[in-house]
């Protein structure tokens, strides 16, 4: 049975989106695809890498391509929660307190070098990422929709950084790394100059409202019982002799990401290939300790995946 016209149209549109992103982030199509998968699945994204490899450029390119309101916060060791959430100040003309919204009130927030921020400021993100709302001065305020957090994290061998706590890591659907470009991509970068300037001039391929419709379309991607059983077996396999076994929340994140991957391929049903395509990005940072490298998490994820037969 052929997929619905909505699925086919969405797949073609996403192809245009990938083409634009790949013109900015050169030689990293697999990473940009996973980033789009995370956005479609209503997750949040953590990018771990050394400075200067294009993390901020990717975030800006995503915001421009999807027509999202974008803000960037440079996380420093003196950043306060109010610097992120906003605060109430006295309005002498109105003789009352007036709330001034912080940069978190955006559709795409880039928290740059999050692991430099104090733990109290990091914790200010927890409610926002989980509930899509923030509470300031006892009043709860809804965040814009869609709401997508991209945080970057510097390697732990750099000065002034500390591991993100497990509760913070678990709020990110995926953790990715860009890595160094290959030779051809790096030559193209040297020839073409800074890609960030090109990213600022990108036009929107779709609107924020259209993205919301794509995110809703994810729910129409069918997941058969054998796929659900496969995901459950992967979760169970991670709990054998593991110090940090996968939780049901990790399973739900894996399922949403697999649905988003299927949609990008133009299918209205999930295959084991979809689960495997997103597996390492979704579970790698959950399996290892918070101070483990990205490679260690990917290795643990690969071991678990290899031990479970696909349907």
């Amino acid at each position: 049975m052929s997929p619905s016209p909505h699925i086919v149209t969405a797949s073609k549109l996403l192809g245009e989106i990938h083409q634009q992103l790949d013109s900015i982030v050169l030689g990293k199509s697999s990473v940009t695809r996973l980033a789009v998968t995370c956005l479609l699945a209503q997750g949040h994204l953590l990018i771990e890498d050394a400075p200067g490899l294009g993390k901020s450029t990717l975030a800006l390119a995503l915001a421009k391509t999807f027509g999202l309101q974008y803000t960037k916060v440079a996380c420093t060791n003196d950043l306060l929660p109010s610097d992120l959430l906003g605060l109430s100040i006295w309005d002498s003309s109105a003789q009352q307190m007036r709330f001034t919204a912080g940069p978190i009130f955006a559709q795409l927030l880039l928290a740059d070098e999050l692991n430099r921020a104090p733990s109290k400021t990091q914790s200010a993100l927890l409610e926002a990422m989980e509930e899509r709302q923030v509470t300031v001065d006892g009043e709860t305020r809804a965040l814009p929709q869609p709401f997508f957090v991209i945080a970057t994290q510097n390697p732990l061998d750099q000065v002034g950084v500390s591991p993100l706590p497990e509760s913070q890591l678990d709020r990110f659907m995926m953790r990715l790394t860009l890595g160094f470009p290959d030779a051809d991509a790096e030559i193209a970068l040297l020839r073409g100059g800074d890609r960030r300037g090109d990213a600022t001039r990108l036009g929107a391929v779709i609107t924020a409202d259209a993205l919301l419709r794509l995110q809703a379309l994810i729910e129409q991607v069918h997941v058969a019982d054998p796929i659900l059983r496969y995901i459950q077996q992967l979760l169970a396999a991670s709990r054998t002799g593991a110090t940090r076994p996968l939780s049901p929340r990790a399973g739900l994140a894996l399922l949403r990401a697999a649905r988003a991957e299927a949609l990008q391929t133009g299918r209205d049903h999930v295959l084991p290939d979809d689960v495997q395509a997103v597996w390492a990005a979704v579970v790698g940072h959950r399996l290892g300790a918070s101070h483990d490298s990205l490679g260690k998490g990917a290795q643990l994820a690969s071991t678990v995946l290899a031990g479970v037969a696909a349907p």
Side-chain angles (χ1 to χ4, degrees):
M1 184 175 178
S2 300
S4 71
H6 294 299
I7 297 286
V8 174
T9 301
S11 178
K12 291 180 179 178
L13 186 60
L14 288 166
E16 296 176 24
I17 287 169
H18 286 298
Q19 185 176 8
Q20 176 158 295
L21 290 173
D22 291 343
S23 71
I24 299 296
V25 186
L26 301 181
K28 298 295 179 181
S29 58
S30 60
V31 177
T32 57
R33 183 182 179 92
L34 285 169
V36 171
T37 299
C38 187
L39 175 56
L40 293 173
Q42 302 181 58
H44 302 290
L45 177 62
L46 178 64
I47 307 176
E48 179 181 296
D49 234 323
L53 294 180
K55 302 184 295 294
S56 298
T57 301
L58 172 57
L60 178 59
L62 282 167
K64 292 289 187 178
T65 299
F66 283 91
L68 303 177
Q69 179 195 3
Y70 169 80
T71 60
K72 175 181 177 180
V73 175
C75 296
T76 57
N77 58 11
D78 60 351
L79 190 72
L80 299 175
S82 59
D83 295 330
L84 189 62
L85 305 182
L87 72 166
S88 297
I89 58 175
W90 178 252
D91 186 341
S92 58
S93 61
Q95 290 295 295
Q96 63 181 10
M97 299 297 289
R98 176 172 55 84
F99 178 70
T100 301
I104 201 170
F105 286 86
Q107 293 171 321
L108 194 157
L109 170 70
L110 172 61
D112 199 24
E113 299 185 339
L114 180 61
N115 58 342
R116 291 188 185 277
S119 57
K120 191 172 185 179
T121 302
Q122 291 179 18
S123 67
L125 277 172
L126 295 180
E127 181 186 13
M129 296 173 69
E130 186 71 17
E131 307 292 339
R132 264 70 175 179
Q133 65 182 30
V134 296
T135 303
V136 181
D137 296 334
E139 183 176 346
T140 299
R141 294 175 170 86
L143 293 168
Q145 297 296 324
F147 177 67
F148 184 44
V149 174
I150 298 179
T152 69
Q153 176 175 238
N154 285 346
L156 294 179
D157 58 358
Q158 295 196 359
V159 175
V161 302
S162 57
L164 294 178
E166 283 77 4
S167 59
Q168 184 77 62
L169 282 174
D170 197 43
R171 295 308 194 278
F172 290 100
M173 174 177 281
M174 292 185 180
R175 180 171 70 164
L176 301 175
T177 182
L178 282 166
F180 291 100
D182 60 32
D184 291 340
E186 192 158 19
I187 289 171
L189 283 169
L190 294 171
R191 182 182 296 117
D194 185 13
R195 291 282 160 166
R196 183 173 179 81
D198 295 336
T200 60
R201 293 186 289 272
L202 288 177
V205 176
I206 65 173
T207 64
D209 288 340
L211 172 58
L212 289 173
R213 290 193 290 271
L214 284 177
Q215 291 176 335
L217 190 60
I218 296 295
E219 301 300 323
Q220 298 181 25
V221 177
H222 177 66
V223 185
D225 285 344
I227 299 296
L228 293 175
R229 193 171 298 111
Y230 180 45
I231 291 175
Q232 193 282 324
Q233 289 172 347
L234 288 169
L235 298 177
S238 77
R239 298 164 187 163
T240 303
T243 56
R244 294 188 63 220
L246 295 176
S247 67
R249 176 158 55 188
L252 291 171
L254 180 63
L255 180 60
R256 291 199 308 273
R259 278 176 152 157
E261 175 64 22
L263 177 66
Q264 292 189 86
T265 311
R267 278 183 279 99
D268 60 359
H269 60 281
V270 174
L271 297 178
D273 289 350
D274 300 316
V275 177
Q276 294 163 6
V278 301
W279 167 256
V282 172
V283 308
H285 59 294
R286 293 178 165 94
L287 285 173
S290 61
H291 58 270
D292 285 338
S293 67
L294 189 61
K296 178 66 177 298
Q299 182 180 8
L300 290 169
S302 179
T303 300
V304 173
L305 186 65
V308 179

